[in-house]
Structure formats: structure tokens, C-alpha cells
Amino acid sequence: MPSYKAPIRDLQFVYHELLEADRTLTALPGFEETSPDLVDAILEEGAKLFEQQIQPLNQSGDRQGCSFRNGEVATPDGFREAYRAYTEGGWCSLAVDPELGGQGLPETISFMLEEMLTSANVSFSLYPGLTRGAISAISSHASDELKARYLPKMVEGVWSGTMCLTESQAGTDLGLVRTKAEPREDGSYGVTGTKIFITGGEQDLTENIIHLVLARLPNAPPGVRGISLFLVPKLLPDDHNEPAHRNGVNCGSIEQKMGIKGSSTCVINFDNAQGFLIGPENRGLACMFTMMNAERLAIGIQGLGLSEVAYQNAVAYARERLQSRAATGSAAPELSADPLMVHPDIRRMLLTARAYNEGARALAVWTAINIDLSHRHPDIGGRTQAEDLVALITPVIKAFFSDFGYETTTLCQQVLGGHGYIREWGMEQFVRDARIAQIYEGTNGVQALDLVRRKLFIHGGRLPRRFFQLLTEFAEQQRDNLPLQPYIRPFIEALNLLQELTEWLVQQGATDPNQLGAAATDYLRIFALTTFAWMWVRMVAVSQDKQAGGDERFYRAKIQTGRFFLGRLLPQIQGLNLAIRSGSELMMAMPEADF
Amino acid sequence: MPSYKAPIRDLQFVYHELLEADRTLTALPGFEETSPDLVDAILEEGAKLFEQQIQPLNQSGDRQGCSFRNGEVATPDGFREAYRAYTEGGWCSLAVDPELGGQGLPETISFMLEEMLTSANVSFSLYPGLTRGAISAISSHASDELKARYLPKMVEGVWSGTMCLTESQAGTDLGLVRTKAEPREDGSYGVTGTKIFITGGEQDLTENIIHLVLARLPNAPPGVRGISLFLVPKLLPDDHNEPAHRNGVNCGSIEQKMGIKGSSTCVINFDNAQGFLIGPENRGLACMFTMMNAERLAIGIQGLGLSEVAYQNAVAYARERLQSRAATGSAAPELSADPLMVHPDIRRMLLTARAYNEGARALAVWTAINIDLSHRHPDIGGRTQAEDLVALITPVIKAFFSDFGYETTTLCQQVLGGHGYIREWGMEQFVRDARIAQIYEGTNGVQALDLVRRKLFIHGGRLPRRFFQLLTEFAEQQRDNLPLQPYIRPFIEALNLLQELTEWLVQQGATDPNQLGAAATDYLRIFALTTFAWMWVRMVAVSQDKQAGGDERFYRAKIQTGRFFLGRLLPQIQGLNLAIRSGSELMMAMPEADF
């Protein structure tokens, strides 16, 4: 059975040393008490629960899956108890405003815990994860009455939240949503329609489920400008806020899926269910995006979490499994064969996972700090700057983290050879679970279009301009740092390539919109790899500085992994750049009938 | 439910037009009767059976899987009937020598049918596939007595064959095999040991199962030079060659796997089972390689087969699914949205699969023709030349076809969005089934080592020299073919890069063997992509010539797909080349304890 140990030391490195989050975050109003000791204690406490109680349910949850009978869903054995421990420990509400019953900690801490939780059990993580997203949408856009009625129990975790967007004819294209909302005399709405692919749409963990539903008002304009957002509880609360009356909400079935089998994926039927408008009429998609942006980042984190746990188990196997001899002569002549770890190709696979994981962890925490800054920076300029960076990097994290997560869980599975393909060893589950992150919450193709068609252009191109400036400034600051030059050189080369490509793309897109679509996926990958290179050079710089002061092995490994990233993985951008420059015509020239 | 239509037209193009196999093969002794009409009739007859009877069992076979009770394995419903139809149709023995009861057709035809069969149902294909491999090992190395006793029923398909190599401590490293063979007075051997991961080790399709088992004789030298090959039947035949007596062979359990669930993967216990030596003592591995080389090619074909069927279903979905509008303005304003096919990123995914598939199909048939030449060319020089080419390309086909098969089944799954992740649609099964081909029959890392550590060096480097000469000659022949120049230029650039890299690698490997291991996987991919480029330029050349003579749409699509391959996919080699040149030190410098 696979095991998992939370990478506390590396999270501490990223938080305390690399990004100096202590200084940045404690300067923000409300976070003054977030001492380094408190952060470390939370990480360790969370790790204990996830490692000991939630991770052991990952494999059994996959085997058993969710079951459906008479409209009710049973989650796998142990999920109920684990969910109780999770909510009672206060893990649902770390970053929620204390006024709403939360603990008012920085989002940054919540992000770090999310990585650990997804390593331990992605299926489990989705239940509280969606509730967290629903809380943020409700608290940002709902009326005070709705907030007072629904948020406290959601923050406590005794009620959960979902997002009901997709319908059978409306996936990526939410303009095609058909679910209807009819105004009632009491100011509420009768919601009618069928939603599919609803994660946690029905389950046996919470006493109530609060659905956030996209639907159309009568006479709403067609397309995305005619969609409104509704809060539709499974059970309508009575005057004491106890879930009392069954609403017109039913689970029709659950899906049989490739992975995340411990997470229920439901068809939810709304039959004149009582719902309550959130935000202005016909502005539902904008309100939903509060939740979707948070979810997109969380889903990127799933890629990292799965890659980390897969890496750990592949390393353990590569250390113990004896097979063949090192090419340079036997490394362990006293044994029947050498451990797999002597083989360069095995190390290539492991280091690929490691280099992506550590780069991703740094970038995730950097992004989370910017989320906190965007909420609490004292200046509007500081808030906008942080908001811009988060908006730009969100599709990159969602798509690239989930892409590399699938690639590296596959590589780590490969390290185990035939045993990687057998269910018993658990590696193939990581691959199956990782696969969904490339698809849900907007496919990675849609993320790439969000980056190249929207984020590059809004506010007159301000987002990439700010971002590139940040990277350029860093490079300039390090100009006299001699030991860093071998690392900074490939980074600057990548940055130049990315900037030139961005200019080319923006120009091309002006005359041929298909150039943007044709370039999108590969462009996002170049963007991500360059951003990782930035993080890696920063990590190497810190490690070079600190290496002499103790914990030498940690910093040495960090520098070594950085070298691997820059030398072995970053060059991908050369081929991708050439591929993009071959242009959209290669894709569009073929008549549809010829496929 | 997914559907499948055999790509007969493209197979005909490759066989008749591109490679002119009719001329080459009918010139070989024994193949004089293989007329174009006969070939086409066989392709069409095979397609009918596979499409109509075997493909419909693919998804149900995955859901039901194999079951195990009291040492017996039940294959999924319908497999027995389909297997009977398959054997009665003579599909087991197409390329087997008529003296052994086969039909004596070229291997090339068998290869083309193998692609179709794996598209239809990979799990099913493994049962007859392994029998075919066992037949070739027995007919090449066993005594006349063993051949006479076992081959006729295997050729008929009423007995099957397996390969029993792996033990729990011996996977890649067969030198660690512990199964023992004790000589008996009657000249046979008592075989004792446990083999794992035995495909078709037990099943309910055939009346007997003939295991080919690697084991050690008493006092055999340690390592791979002390392994012998034994034929061990499940049931010992009586004097009338009826399977009469139970041998000491038992199935201990079957594995729960990620995919190929319709194929049984067995633990087989040999308990003083009567076995018969095949080939010389202690030369078992060399004899087994006759079978393994054939299997490696067959497994590459699985990657192609799955990629083809995934492509077909993704195209069908992309044509029908309406979602969002084309970036250049609505393509179908009368519909609620445009078909997915208008989006460049969707086309990128589909064309990636298509370009790999068609390149692979051409290369597979080219390789199969060389197998036939290696068996039957009248001159020893011609046979050796063909043998060299097959030996060189075998690891490339096994590894690269299975790698791209996993990548493109994943891309085709992505085209379906959320529906791709749901079992019902069948796309996720293609991915799970494709994954094993990268692992079994020697992991792709082992294939890459076979290429760089062995095939580049044997016979003083003759294999790559011959191969590069062939490609160079082609480029020179086409020097005056003006319309071909835009295609041939990127091919020549790739060929130069590959040749320079090969020289560099051979040099580096002389002083640091780890350079070979560190480069292996990426080098194999560059080798494969360059070889595909060669095939693509040849296909474009033929299509340019024939375009005016009818079937214009077919040739136009071929040229268009070739452009996509050369412009969009081939540039990968640039990044891979840089990655390799960063050297082995990046992988080896990290102490094992630091991982």
C-alpha cells in the first residue's frame, strides 16, 4: 500500500525562506498574529491528520467507490468518520473570516494544507474543497440574509456546497444552459432543470447540501449574459435553521469514472426547487467565477499533490528494488543486483517529478501570497498588482500543474514496471486520479484560451507587462551574483523567448484569431516552464546563500534539482516555440470532411 | 459505445502505393501468389470479423474482466465464441509455414491485421498473439519431435502458448530467475518455481496451454548465461496427442489491473511439472528472444491500434458536439453552437493522433516487409540487411508507438471533455489499455537502453550506418523533386541532428557509460520522430504524384497531415537534443539519500 509523508521541510523552505511570507503576511491587517511557530504548528497538525486518518482511506475508497441507491449516495467506508475529524479539527474554515466563524488565517496556509490533503486523498479533498469555494461565492455576492442563514453551518462543515454548472448540452459553453428559474411571489425562485457532473452533488457526509446553480430567468437574454446564480438547498431550513423540508432536488444517478471514485459525481435534478438569487440578475457567471477561480487553483494543486505522493512511493521502490547492475560497475556487489536508483533513466523519471513538484510548490505559495495581498494590501495599487498576477497565473497553474501531474504520476508508475500497472501497489490510481484535473473546471484547452485570448489582452496588456517586469527586475538584481550566473542564463534566455513569442502572438492574433487558439496549449506550457525557471533560480539563490549555515543536505539537493530543471526540462520550450511558429494554417487547412 | 472502422484505404495506400509491397513480396519464394486482390480480400475479411464480432466485446470485456475460481480463469462473456470464430477463420496461422498447417502468407499481412485486431480489442488480441510468438520460438529452436507434437494444435489455435519469464524478484533482470529444472531419466525435466504476470497463463479459450518457461538447470552458471528454455504443457498429451494428464502447473491467482481487463494476467506455479528443453542448455534467453522480438513489435502495434480507434471516436465526437463559436465567426449560425471541429486546439489534438498513426502504420508495414525479406531474400546480403534494419527499429517501434499511443489516446479522451472521463463513452478504457504497452515486454526504458547500448554498437556500428545511409540516399534521390523541397528540408535537418547526436553519444559513451543511459529515452524519441519524418516525406511524395489521378481527397489529406507532422510535431527534437546534451551528470550527481 502506498504511503505518504507531508513535505513539511520543503513547505517551510518555500514559506519562510524563499518567499519570506512571514514578513509579507504579518504586515497585512488581520494577520499580525501569524507567527512562524503558528504556521509550523498548523502544518504539522494537518499533516498528522492527513497522513494518519485520511491517506489510509485513499486506496480502499478507490476500490469501493461511491454507491447509489434510491436517490442516496454512500461514500466509501471511513469517509464519514474522517470527514467528522476534519471538520471538528477546524480544517474547513482555516482561511474563512472570523466573522463568519472561520479562523481568519491567510489563504497561503490553506493552500499549503490543500497540497497535503490532495496527496493524501484527492477524492476526499473534493467534498470540503467545493464547500470552501461555495462559501467564497456566497460571502462575496449573496445578500446578508442568505449569508446569515447558510454560511455558519457551511463554515462549520456540517453543510456542504456544490457548483451546478454543466448540463448535457452545456459544458465548456455555459451560454447553452437551459435550467430555468421562475420568480415566486415571496421573492424566491422555482428552479427546474438537470445538471450533470456535479461533484459531491449527493453524499452522506453532511446533513444538508447547498447547491449553487446557474439558471435562466424568464426572458433572460440568450447566451452567457442571460445566466443568473441561485442558491438551492437540498433541504430547506426551518426557522431554527435546522434542515427540515425536502426541496425539489434529487440525485438521478452517479457516474462510473476512470478515477476519483471516492468522490461522487452526480446527475442532479431540480424540479421546481426553491432557490434564492445570488448577485444581480443575469450576472450569474461573473459571481460563479469567484468560486471557479478558486477551484481552478485548487485543481492545479491536485496535480502537485498527486505528483508528490507518486514521487515518494517511486523513490521508495527505486531504493529497495534490486534489478540489474549499474553501467559503471556494481554499486552493491554484496546484493543479488543493484537498487534501481543506480540507473540514470530511473533518476531521470524521479528528478522530473521532483523538479516539477518543487517548482510548483514555490509557485503555488507565491500565488497564494498574492491572493492574500489582493484581499488585504493597504493600497489599492498593491491590491490591483496582486490581483493582476493571480488572474494571469490562474490558468497556468490549473493547466500546467494538472498536465505535469499526469505526466509525472505516469513516470512514477513507470519506475515500478509491471507492479505499477497492478492495483495493489496504488500507483495506477494516482494516474487515474490525476487525469481528471486536466478536464474538469474548464479543460486545459479552455485554460490556455483564457490565457492567450483574455489574460494577455485585458487592461491593454497590463497583466503580462507587470509579470514580465517582475521577472526582468529579478534578473537585473542578480546581475552581480556570480555563483548564480550559470542558473540565471538559461532563465533569461527563456524569458526573452517568451516575451518575443508573446509579442508575435499578440500581433498575429490581431489579424488571425485562430493563431491564438492554435498556439494556446503550447504557449501556456512555455509560460509555465519559464515561470518555474524563475522560481528555480530564486530557490537556488537562497540555497547558495544558506548552504553553509546548516541543513547542508537540503540545500544541496535543492541546487541539484534546480540544475536538473534548467538543463533537462527547460529546453522543451525550444521545440514548443518552433511548433507554435509553424502557425494555425497547419491546423485549419484540412477540411472537416477529410478528418 | 465506441465504434471502429478498419482503415483499409490507408493500409492499401501503404502496402500497394507507398511501399510497393506487391512487387517486393511476390518476388520472394513462397509468396508468388500474394496478389493485390488477395491482400485486399484478406484485409476486408479480417476487418469484417474484428469490427462486427470482436470490437463489440471490448467494452463489456473491460467491465466484466476475467474471474478466478479454484485455479480456473473465466474470460469475459463472448470471448469464447469470438475466439472460436477467430480460429475457425484461420486468423491464427496467416503467416505460419504451410508445412506446419499455416497459410504461408507474408508477415506483412499479419502485421496489418494485428493493427486492426488491437484497435478492435487489445485484451482479446493477446490470447492469439502470444500463441503466435510461441509458435515462432518453438519452430525456430525446438526438436522435430516437440514441433510435431505441439505445433499443429497451436497453429490451429486449439492450444495456446505463453511466455513465462518474470518472477517476483526477476523482472527486467532475468539473470535473477530462480525457477529450477531437474533432469529426469526419460530426458525430460521437472520444472519448479513461480512465475508472475503471465498473460493468458490460464483461460477458458483453449483445451491446452503450452508454457515456454525460463528456468535453471542444476549447476547452471549464475546470471543470464545459466538460463534454459523449457516447453511445459498445462496438460500432457497422450499417444493420440489428446491433452490427457494434468501436469504440475497451476494458476495461483490473477492480477487486478489498470486496464486490459479482458486479458488474464496470472501467477503460474510449476511444481515438478514435466518440461522439455528447447534449444541448447543455458541458451534459453537467446531462444526466448525469437519470441520476445516478435512480441515487442506486436506491442508497438497496440499503441497504434489504440490510437487509431481513439482517433476515430474523437473525430466523430468533434463533428457532432456543438459547443462555443469559431473564433473567426460562427461556422454554423443555424445551430445553437458550432461543432468542436472548428476550434484549432481540438484540431491540434486530432491531427497529432492522426499524424502519428499514419506515420506509424507506414513504418510498421515497412518493418514487416523487412521481416519477410530477412526470412526469404535470396541473397544472404539482402537477408542480413533486412535483419539489421528490423533489429534496429524493433525497440523504436515498441517504445515510441506505445508512448505516442498513450499520449494520443489521452488527447483523444481530452476532446470529449468530461465525457472522456466517464466509463460509458469508452475513451478512458483506451487510455488504460494503452498504458500497459509502455511497461510490458521490456519497459520503454529498457527498449531505449537496447537501442543506445546495444543496437548502435553491435557489428561495429553497422546497424545505424545502414539505416542512415538509406535515409540519406532517399534525400539525395529527391534532390530535384521541386514540389517536395518544403517537406524534405525539415527531414534533412532532423536527419543531420540525429546523426550528429549519434556520433556524440557513441563518443561520450566510450568514457562514461551513464551518458548512454541518461540519453536513452530522449534519443529513442528523436530517432523515432526522424524515422517518421522520412516516412512522411515519402508519403507526401507519392501523394503529390498521384493526386491528379483520382481519390484527390485522400491524397490531399495525406499531404496536409504530413505538413502538420513536419511543422508541428517534428520540432520536438530540438528540445530533446538540448536536454540530452545537458549530460548524465545532472542525473547522477545527486546522492541517493538526497532523493
Side-chain angles (χ1 to χ4, degrees):
Chain A
M1 198 167 104
S3 65
Y4 172 63
K5 193 96 192 88
I8 302 271
R9 176 67 186 94
D10 202 46
L11 284 163
Q12 290 171 331
F13 167 76
V14 169
Y15 188 93
H16 300 306
E17 303 171 51
L18 175 71
L19 301 172
E20 297 177 318
D22 298 298
R23 209 187 45 185
T24 309
L25 293 178
T26 50
L28 298 180
F31 293 159
E32 298 84 354
E33 314 291 308
T34 317
S35 69
D37 286 353
L38 177 68
V39 174
D40 291 352
I42 294 172
L43 291 178
E44 272 155 31
E45 208 52 44
K48 212 184 291 171
L49 173 69
F50 304 162
E51 290 169 4
Q52 292 172 10
Q53 190 164 1
I54 296 179
Q55 191 272 340
L57 302 174
N58 189 47
Q59 197 172 25
S60 57
D62 179 65
R63 286 194 190 186
Q64 192 184 355
C66 291
S67 59
F68 177 75
R69 212 165 57 177
N70 300 331
E72 302 207 336
V73 171
T75 58
D77 293 343
F79 272 43
R80 289 171 63 91
E81 295 73 15
Y83 186 76
R84 201 173 317 121
Y86 182 87
T87 52
E88 285 172 1
W91 301 104
C92 284
S93 55
L94 279 185
V96 177
D97 203 317
E99 282 182 21
L100 300 171
Q103 295 167 61
L105 288 162
E107 281 291 348
T108 308
I109 296 175
S110 185
F111 259 65
M112 295 193 288
L113 286 153
E114 188 69 9
E115 183 206 316
M116 297 186 203
L117 183 61
T118 56
S119 285
N121 195 328
V122 163
S123 287
F124 180 90
S125 79
L126 294 172
Y127 296 107
L130 280 158
T131 305
R132 212 162 36 237
I135 290 170
S136 85
I138 295 170
S139 59
S140 304
H141 304 292
S143 68
D144 289 342
E145 196 193 328
L146 285 175
K147 285 191 210 175
R149 200 165 185 98
Y150 290 96
L151 285 179
K153 295 224 176 174
M154 292 177 76
V155 170
E156 226 186 306
V158 294
W159 294 358
S160 70
T162 76
M163 53 198 293
C164 298
L165 285 67
T166 305
E167 300 176 9
S168 62
Q169 80 293 346
T172 293
D173 189 352
L174 290 170
L176 301 176
V177 156
R178 283 187 204 145
T179 295
K180 293 208 171 328
E182 296 278 347
R184 293 181 180 178
E185 288 196 352
D186 62 1
S188 71
Y189 296 82
V191 176
T192 301
T194 296
K195 297 288 182 177
I196 64 168
F197 297 163
I198 307 309
T199 301
E202 181 57 53
Q203 34 77 1
D204 56 2
L205 305 177
T206 60
E207 61 178 37
N208 200 3
I209 301 174
I210 310 307
H211 300 287
L212 297 189
V213 185
L214 293 182
R216 287 187 185 284
L217 292 167
N219 307 319
V224 292
R225 288 165 209 281
I227 294 175
S228 306
L229 179 61
F230 298 88
L231 183 157
V232 186
K234 171 183 162 186
L235 300 169
L236 292 160
D238 63 16
D239 293 343
H240 308 291
N241 224 18
E242 292 300 320
H245 314 290
R246 186 82 207 198
N247 201 355
V249 180
N250 281 288
C251 177
S253 60
I254 61 173
E255 304 290 349
Q256 300 300 313
K257 307 185 298 291
M258 183 184 194
I260 55 163
K261 297 187 186 204
S263 164
S264 62
T265 304
C266 307
V267 174
I268 301 288
N269 300 310
F270 297 92
D271 181 11
N272 195 21
Q274 188 173 25
F276 307 93
L277 183 69
I278 295 182
E281 291 184 1
N282 299 329
R283 296 280 300 147
L285 209 57
C287 299
M288 203 61 168
F289 256 101
T290 304
M291 179 164 183
M292 281 167 72
N293 283 325
E295 294 305 322
R296 286 177 174 185
L297 290 168
I299 279 156
I301 303 294
Q302 289 171 20
L304 164 57
L306 286 165
S307 180
E308 172 65 30
V309 68
Y311 169 76
Q312 292 185 14
N313 285 281
V315 166
Y317 188 87
R319 284 208 176 104
E320 279 170 27
R321 173 76 170 173
L322 306 177
Q323 210 76 177
S324 305
R325 293 294 180 188
T328 47
S330 175
E334 73 287 4
L335 300 174
S336 61
D338 290 339
L340 287 188
M341 197 60 105
V342 303
H343 304 300
D345 194 57
I346 296 286
R347 286 169 164 257
R348 177 187 62 80
M349 296 192 275
L350 295 174
L351 282 166
T352 300
R354 184 184 178 103
Y356 283 144
N357 292 350
E358 296 184 4
R361 187 170 294 128
L363 184 60
V365 176
W366 176 86
T367 305
I369 292 170
N370 276 292
I371 292 176
D372 282 318
L373 288 168
S374 76
H375 294 158
R376 300 193 185 224
H377 195 285
D379 306 331
I380 172 82
R383 290 198 297 278
T384 314
Q385 153 98 359
E387 242 169 51
D388 280 359
L389 295 173
V390 173
L392 183 65
I393 213 71
T394 294
V396 176
I397 288 187
K398 194 285 182 182
F400 182 64
F401 284 24
S402 61
D403 279 346
F404 90 70
Y406 184 64
E407 291 164 22
T408 55
T409 52
T410 298
L411 288 176
C412 292
Q413 178 190 25
Q414 190 76 13
V415 170
L416 275 79
H419 296 97
Y421 199 67
I422 302 298
R423 298 193 75 169
E424 188 186 342
W425 288 76
M427 300 300 287
E428 58 90 38
Q429 184 191 344
F430 298 141
V431 177
R432 288 186 289 105
D433 285 356
R435 182 69 184 93
I436 187 60
Q438 301 174 290
I439 298 172
Y440 61 8
E441 217 59 74
T443 63
N444 285 358
V446 168
Q447 303 300 322
L449 288 178
D450 177 47
L451 177 64
V452 301
R453 290 217 307 226
R454 192 157 175 278
K455 301 292 167 67
L456 291 187
F457 290 94
I458 51 172
H459 306 305
R462 191 177 73 198
L463 276 50
R465 212 155 49 234
R466 276 198 208 266
F467 186 73
F468 294 149
Q469 194 187 340
L470 212 59
L471 273 58
T472 306
E473 279 168 12
F474 168 74
E476 280 166 10
Q477 282 156 13
Q478 301 294 333
R479 202 184 303 167
D480 300 328
N481 184 341
L482 279 184
L484 201 63
Q485 293 316 301
Y487 302 88
I488 214 155
R489 234 173 280 128
F491 161 63
I492 290 177
E493 201 186 313
L495 180 57
N496 290 339
L497 182 151
L498 174 60
Q499 286 185 281
E500 282 167 28
L501 179 63
T502 307
E503 271 175 45
W504 178 84
L505 196 57
V506 167
Q507 268 172 12
Q508 293 284 316
T511 53
D512 175 9
N514 279 333
Q515 285 287 21
L516 299 174
T521 292
D522 290 342
Y523 176 84
L524 184 144
R525 194 170 178 106
I526 293 177
F527 197 106
L529 289 163
T530 304
T531 307
F532 274 47
W534 175 48
M535 283 293 152
W536 266 116
V537 179
R538 293 178 64 174
M539 290 196 275
V540 168
V542 172
S543 299
Q544 285 179 338
D545 283 352
K546 300 214 168 186
Q547 204 172 5
D551 208 357
E552 198 247 347
R553 195 166 115 184
F554 177 85
Y555 296 112
R556 187 181 65 195
K558 188 63 81 181
I559 294 168
Q560 200 50 47
T561 309
R563 290 183 64 216
F564 181 87
F565 179 84
L566 296 167
R568 192 84 193 184
L569 300 179
L570 186 58
Q572 285 169 72
I573 62 172
Q574 301 296 338
L576 294 168
N577 182 41
L578 292 170
I580 290 172
R581 302 230 181 203
S582 69
S584 65
E585 193 265 342
L586 290 189
M587 261 151 267
M588 304 314 292
M590 185 118 119
E592 188 198 306
D594 285 6
F595 274 84
Chain B
M1 201 166 100
S3 65
Y4 172 63
K5 193 95 192 91
I8 303 269
R9 175 67 185 94
D10 201 44
L11 284 163
Q12 290 172 331
F13 167 75
V14 169
Y15 188 95
H16 300 305
E17 303 171 53
L18 175 71
L19 301 172
E20 297 177 319
D22 298 299
R23 208 187 45 184
T24 309
L25 293 178
T26 52
L28 298 179
F31 294 159
E32 297 83 355
E33 314 292 308
T34 317
S35 69
D37 286 352
L38 178 66
V39 174
D40 291 352
I42 294 172
L43 291 178
E44 272 156 31
E45 206 54 40
K48 211 185 292 171
L49 173 68
F50 305 161
E51 291 169 3
Q52 292 172 10
Q53 190 163 2
I54 297 180
Q55 191 271 341
L57 302 174
N58 188 48
Q59 195 171 27
S60 57
D62 179 66
R63 287 194 189 184
Q64 191 184 358
C66 291
S67 60
F68 177 74
R69 213 165 58 175
N70 301 329
E72 302 206 336
V73 170
T75 58
D77 293 344
F79 272 44
R80 288 170 62 91
E81 295 73 15
Y83 185 77
R84 201 173 317 123
Y86 183 86
T87 52
E88 285 172 3
W91 300 103
C92 285
S93 56
L94 279 187
V96 177
D97 202 318
E99 283 184 22
L100 300 171
Q103 294 167 62
L105 289 163
E107 282 290 348
T108 308
I109 296 174
S110 185
F111 260 65
M112 295 193 288
L113 287 153
E114 188 69 9
E115 184 206 316
M116 296 185 203
L117 183 60
T118 56
S119 285
N121 195 328
V122 163
S123 287
F124 180 89
S125 79
L126 294 171
Y127 297 107
L130 280 157
T131 304
R132 209 160 41 234
I135 290 168
S136 84
I138 294 170
S139 60
S140 304
H141 304 291
S143 68
D144 288 343
E145 198 194 326
L146 286 176
K147 286 190 210 172
R149 200 164 185 99
Y150 291 96
L151 285 179
K153 294 224 176 174
M154 291 177 77
V155 170
E156 224 186 305
V158 293
W159 295 0
S160 70
T162 76
M163 54 197 295
C164 298
L165 286 68
T166 305
E167 300 176 10
S168 61
Q169 80 294 344
T172 294
D173 189 353
L174 290 169
L176 301 175
V177 156
R178 284 187 203 141
T179 296
K180 289 204 176 330
E182 296 278 347
R184 293 181 181 177
E185 288 195 356
D186 63 359
S188 71
Y189 296 81
V191 176
T192 302
T194 296
K195 297 287 181 178
I196 65 169
F197 298 161
I198 307 308
T199 301
E202 180 58 52
Q203 34 76 0
D204 56 2
L205 304 178
T206 60
E207 61 177 37
N208 200 3
I209 300 174
I210 310 306
H211 301 287
L212 298 189
V213 185
L214 292 183
R216 286 186 185 286
L217 292 167
N219 308 318
V224 292
R225 288 165 210 281
I227 294 176
S228 305
L229 181 60
F230 298 87
L231 182 157
V232 186
K234 172 182 162 187
L235 299 168
L236 291 160
D238 63 15
D239 292 343
H240 308 290
N241 225 16
E242 291 301 319
H245 315 289
R246 185 85 205 194
N247 202 354
V249 179
N250 281 288
C251 177
S253 61
I254 61 172
E255 305 290 350
Q256 301 299 314
K257 307 185 298 293
M258 184 183 193
I260 54 163
K261 296 185 187 210
S263 164
S264 63
T265 303
C266 307
V267 174
I268 301 289
N269 301 309
F270 297 92
D271 182 12
N272 195 21
Q274 188 171 27
F276 307 94
L277 183 69
I278 294 183
E281 292 185 1
N282 299 328
R283 297 279 300 147
L285 210 56
C287 299
M288 202 62 167
F289 256 100
T290 304
M291 179 165 182
M292 280 167 72
N293 283 326
E295 293 305 322
R296 285 177 175 185
L297 290 168
I299 280 158
I301 304 295
Q302 290 171 21
L304 164 58
L306 286 165
S307 180
E308 173 64 31
V309 67
Y311 169 78
Q312 291 185 15
N313 285 280
V315 167
Y317 187 87
R319 283 210 177 104
E320 280 170 27
R321 174 76 169 172
L322 306 178
Q323 210 76 177
S324 304
R325 291 293 179 190
T328 46
S330 176
E334 73 286 5
L335 300 174
S336 61
D338 289 340
L340 288 187
M341 198 60 106
V342 302
H343 304 299
D345 194 58
I346 296 285
R347 288 168 162 257
R348 177 188 62 80
M349 297 191 275
L350 295 174
L351 282 166
T352 299
R354 184 183 178 104
Y356 283 145
N357 293 350
E358 295 183 5
R361 186 169 294 128
L363 184 58
V365 176
W366 176 85
T367 304
I369 292 170
N370 276 291
I371 292 176
D372 283 318
L373 288 169
S374 76
H375 295 158
R376 303 194 183 223
H377 195 284
D379 305 331
I380 171 81
R383 289 197 298 276
T384 313
Q385 153 98 2
E387 241 169 51
D388 281 359
L389 295 173
V390 173
L392 183 66
I393 213 72
T394 294
V396 176
I397 288 187
K398 194 285 183 182
F400 183 64
F401 284 23
S402 60
D403 279 346
F404 91 68
Y406 184 63
E407 292 163 22
T408 54
T409 51
T410 298
L411 288 176
C412 292
Q413 179 191 23
Q414 190 75 15
V415 170
L416 275 78
H419 296 98
Y421 199 67
I422 302 297
R423 297 193 75 171
E424 187 186 342
W425 288 76
M427 300 300 286
E428 58 90 37
Q429 183 190 346
F430 298 142
V431 177
R432 288 186 289 104
D433 286 355
R435 182 68 184 92
I436 187 59
Q438 300 173 291
I439 297 173
Y440 61 9
E441 218 59 72
T443 63
N444 285 358
V446 167
Q447 304 300 323
L449 287 177
D450 178 47
L451 177 64
V452 300
R453 291 216 308 224
R454 193 157 174 279
K455 301 292 169 65
L456 291 187
F457 290 94
I458 52 172
H459 307 305
R462 190 178 74 199
L463 275 51
R465 213 158 46 236
R466 276 198 208 267
F467 186 72
F468 294 148
Q469 196 188 337
L470 212 60
L471 273 59
T472 307
E473 278 169 12
F474 169 74
E476 279 166 12
Q477 282 158 12
Q478 301 294 333
R479 203 184 302 168
D480 300 327
N481 184 341
L482 279 183
L484 201 64
Q485 294 315 302
Y487 303 88
I488 214 156
R489 236 174 278 126
F491 161 63
I492 291 177
E493 200 186 315
L495 180 58
N496 291 339
L497 182 150
L498 174 61
Q499 286 186 282
E500 284 167 26
L501 179 63
T502 306
E503 271 175 46
W504 178 85
L505 196 58
V506 168
Q507 268 173 12
Q508 294 283 317
T511 53
D512 174 10
N514 279 333
Q515 284 288 21
L516 299 174
T521 292
D522 290 341
Y523 176 83
L524 184 145
R525 194 171 178 105
I526 292 176
F527 197 107
L529 289 164
T530 305
T531 307
F532 274 46
W534 174 48
M535 284 294 153
W536 266 115
V537 179
R538 293 177 64 175
M539 289 195 277
V540 168
V542 171
S543 300
Q544 285 179 338
D545 282 352
K546 299 213 167 186
Q547 205 171 6
D551 208 356
E552 198 246 349
R553 194 166 117 184
F554 177 84
Y555 297 112
R556 185 179 67 193
K558 188 63 82 182
I559 294 169
Q560 199 51 45
T561 310
R563 290 182 64 214
F564 181 86
F565 179 84
L566 296 167
R568 191 83 193 186
L569 299 178
L570 186 59
Q572 285 170 73
I573 62 173
Q574 302 295 339
L576 294 168
N577 182 41
L578 293 169
I580 290 172
R581 302 233 181 202
S582 70
S584 64
E585 194 264 343
L586 290 187
M587 260 152 265
M588 304 314 291
M590 185 118 118
E592 188 198 307
D594 286 6
F595 273 83

